[in-house]
Amino acid sequence: MENDSSNPASRAPAALAALWTQCGLDARALDRAALTGAARGFASSFAAADVVQASVGAAALAATEIGALRTPGLPAQTVGIDAQHAAFESSGFFTLDGQVPQLWAPISGLYACGAAVGEPGWVRIHANFDHHRDGALALLGLPAGSETPRAAVEQALQHWRAQDFEARAAGQGLPVAASRSHAAWQALGQDAVVAAQPLVALERMGDAPPRKLPGLDAQQRPLAGIRVLDLTRILAGPVAGRTLAAYGADVMLVNSPSLPNIEAIADTSRGKRSVHLDLNDGEGRQALEALASQAHVFMQAYRPGALQARGFGAERLAQLRPGLVVAELCAYGWQGPWAGRRGFDSIVQTASGINVDEAQAREPGNPLAKPRVLPMQALDYGAGFLLAFGVQAALLRQAAEGGSWRVRVTLAGVAHWLRSLGRVAQPDWDAARPDITPYLETLDSGFGRLQAVRHCAQFSRTPVAWDHPSMPPGSQPPRW
């Protein structure tokens, strides 16, 4: 059931506590976390702000546990997460040289469809990459390229049932979702598969001795000296890497020279070194092996099986570097009828019934209400913070128990978790969003003058910081 919580103010702390203990961590640490405030101007019938606040709270608190392990003579740090700040960070706002970049391609978004075949519905297309855009256009019988107008897509979709277009697109590896109710999503079977998995899955993959982390000075951030290979793209994975960098990790973002990126890389690359490696080339694979053999963490968010086909599956990585933490993220999971489908935050929201429920909460009694998105990218940012938390939980387990570890998080799992926290009875839909300026920082970057939201975790002794400015892919050499 989706009953309203009897005590909405307790959602985020309770969610953090459940998540923390589910991952086998010491519950006494929870006394050192303060989740405070409210996220005004981010109205939703779902507890979206609580999800991101609890997720980043888990990541930050895990960092203090690692810091305490590395500074045995000092008291463990406390951590605070303000809900308003967490919501602004999860909005993804940034500017370059004073301009807000165009984050959505012209034909990305929600479309009415099916009118000409008597089955009206809605479908969402994610077309921020040219090959996804051109694949969707080809499916509609339209010319490839950015010159095809949105109106042509609107007209073509009148002749498609939403679920037929979704199925055909999925067969071609395109990120498209038909808007459906939650009951319809449950009927497909993937939700049950997701529900059977932990939100943050920790798996010991093999034996390895515990790896002692070197000690820290009092003012060093908790993850200083921990090497993280970040083979992730778009938002959720890069947010995980950025979060670990904020806590002191040495994060190396690895991009392919043949794959495109999105404008948000300027924001999500804060604190990282940025290199190019071509894994279709023997030299590139050898270079990645060399980097992985000296890393503590290997994060990837490619479609299931993609890196394994190039020789970098989790089990082989653990053989290459015993004691390694391998973190994996995908849209819908590794099992079930939708396993391996491409998906992004907006696509998973649409497919899983979140957009329908949000619209009906905003316009009760209107069955034709246009599907409505969450007020922030709660699935992407929640998943990113949770992946960072899972990495650190695995590092703590490795230091105590030994072993090589795999961490898994899915966007669909975050959607299921969001729904499980209950619905908000009376969202303040008309509340104004406060000024974002106090939450911003302005930095030099390789993309231009970057203004973006500061990381929202507040530590009692070691403030978050960036060791490297965000730089375009390939700006640094691939070596530690």
Side-chain angles (χ1 to χ4, degrees):
M1 298 222 13
E2 298 171 12
N3 294 331
D4 296 312
S5 171
S6 61
N7 185 7
S10 70
R11 281 193 182 106
L16 169 59
L19 174 63
W20 188 262
T21 54
Q22 178 253 309
C23 288
L25 301 181
D26 188 347
R28 293 174 294 181
L30 293 165
D31 293 336
R32 294 188 284 100
L35 306 187
T36 59
R40 187 169 175 79
F42 290 88
S44 173
S45 69
F46 289 93
D50 299 278
V51 157
V52 295
Q53 187 183 28
S55 300
V56 72
L61 188 61
T64 70
E65 287 286 89
I66 292 175
L69 185 67
R70 302 177 70 185
T71 54
L74 294 173
Q77 295 193 75
T78 59
V79 63
I81 309 292
D82 173 66
Q84 189 76 66
H85 195 163
F88 273 130
E89 183 171 355
S90 301
S91 73
F93 174 85
F94 70 99
T95 66
L96 287 172
D97 295 326
Q99 301 297 313
V100 178
Q102 176 56 257
L103 299 181
W104 291 100
I107 74 161
S108 288
L110 189 71
Y111 292 86
C113 60
V117 293
E119 294 196 36
W122 298 89
V123 72
R124 187 177 298 279
I125 298 174
H126 195 289
N128 283 11
F129 291 134
D130 290 352
H131 63 292
H132 290 162
R133 176 200 65 207
D134 291 344
L137 292 174
L139 197 55
L140 294 170
L142 297 172
S146 59
E147 298 305 312
T148 297
R150 187 178 179 91
V153 178
E154 292 172 345
Q155 181 62 34
L157 280 168
Q158 297 306 304
H159 300 275
W160 282 83
R161 292 178 65 249
Q163 294 193 22
D164 288 346
F165 187 67
E166 174 191 71
R168 288 282 299 278
Q172 298 185 25
L174 301 172
V176 168
S179 180
R180 55 175 56 81
S181 68
H182 183 236
W185 170 241
Q186 288 179 305
L188 295 176
Q190 190 63 33
D191 189 60
V193 176
V194 169
Q197 304 298 317
L199 175 61
V200 178
L202 301 180
E203 175 193 356
R204 180 172 172 146
M205 293 189 295
D207 291 331
R211 181 181 295 161
K212 181 176 174 58
L213 297 172
L216 297 174
D217 295 334
Q219 298 308 312
Q220 284 183 287
R221 284 169 291 152
L223 304 189
I226 292 177
R227 290 173 170 173
V228 178
L229 280 171
D230 182 356
L231 279 77
T232 69
R233 304 171 67 240
I234 319 305
L235 280 181
V239 165
R242 186 182 72 187
T243 302
L244 296 172
Y247 304 160
D250 184 359
V251 180
M252 183 180 293
L253 177 63
V254 180
N255 268 285
S256 166
S258 61
L259 292 177
N261 268 290
I262 60 174
E263 294 284 354
I265 192 173
D267 173 33
T268 60
S269 294
R270 280 179 284 170
K272 306 177 188 180
R273 291 188 273 175
S274 190
V275 309
H276 265 158
L277 289 177
D278 186 352
L279 300 188
N280 293 317
D281 175 79
E283 185 177 338
R285 291 192 296 271
Q286 290 177 4
L288 184 59
E289 283 188 2
L291 291 168
S293 70
Q294 302 174 64
H296 297 86
V297 178
F298 185 106
M299 298 198 313
Q300 67 98 354
Y302 289 91
R303 276 209 299 174
L307 283 189
Q308 185 170 356
R310 289 166 173 77
F312 293 96
E315 289 78 6
R316 182 174 180 273
L317 285 165
Q319 293 172 353
L320 181 68
R321 173 66 154 158
L324 186 69
V325 172
V326 179
E328 300 174 339
L329 181 142
C330 72
Y332 296 104
W334 290 263
Q335 296 87 35
W338 280 44
R341 281 201 187 192
R342 280 193 171 92
F344 303 99
D345 181 309
S346 59
I347 295 293
V348 176
Q349 283 190 46
T350 302
S352 66
I354 288 174
N355 290 170
V356 166
D357 285 344
E358 191 81 319
Q360 292 179 351
R362 186 70 175 89
E363 300 180 54
N366 179 9
L368 301 179
K370 181 178 180 180
R372 182 183 177 93
V373 298
L374 295 172
M376 67 193 77
Q377 292 165 290
L379 306 190
D380 267 336
Y381 280 82
F385 295 141
L386 289 173
L387 196 68
F389 163 64
V391 162
Q392 294 174 100
L395 287 170
L396 288 165
R397 298 281 292 272
Q398 204 289 329
E401 307 168 27
S404 301
W405 291 80
R406 173 159 47 200
V407 181
R408 281 181 164 176
V409 173
T410 67
L411 299 182
V414 178
H416 183 85
W417 182 43
L418 172 63
R419 188 176 289 278
S420 76
L421 297 183
R423 303 291 293 282
V424 177
Q426 294 180 314
D428 189 354
W429 299 110
D430 298 322
R433 191 168 293 186
D435 182 13
I436 196 173
T437 304
Y439 302 93
L440 298 177
E441 62 183 5
T442 303
L443 307 164
D444 289 322
S445 83
F447 301 90
R449 191 69 169 161
L450 172 67
Q451 188 176 54
V453 181
R454 304 187 316 276
H455 182 57
C456 61
Q458 301 290 317
F459 294 92
S460 55
R461 189 173 65 249
T462 60
V464 299
W466 312 116
D467 292 332
H468 304 279
S470 60
M471 297 293 291
S475 295
Q476 282 101 10
R479 58 174 180 266
W480 294 113

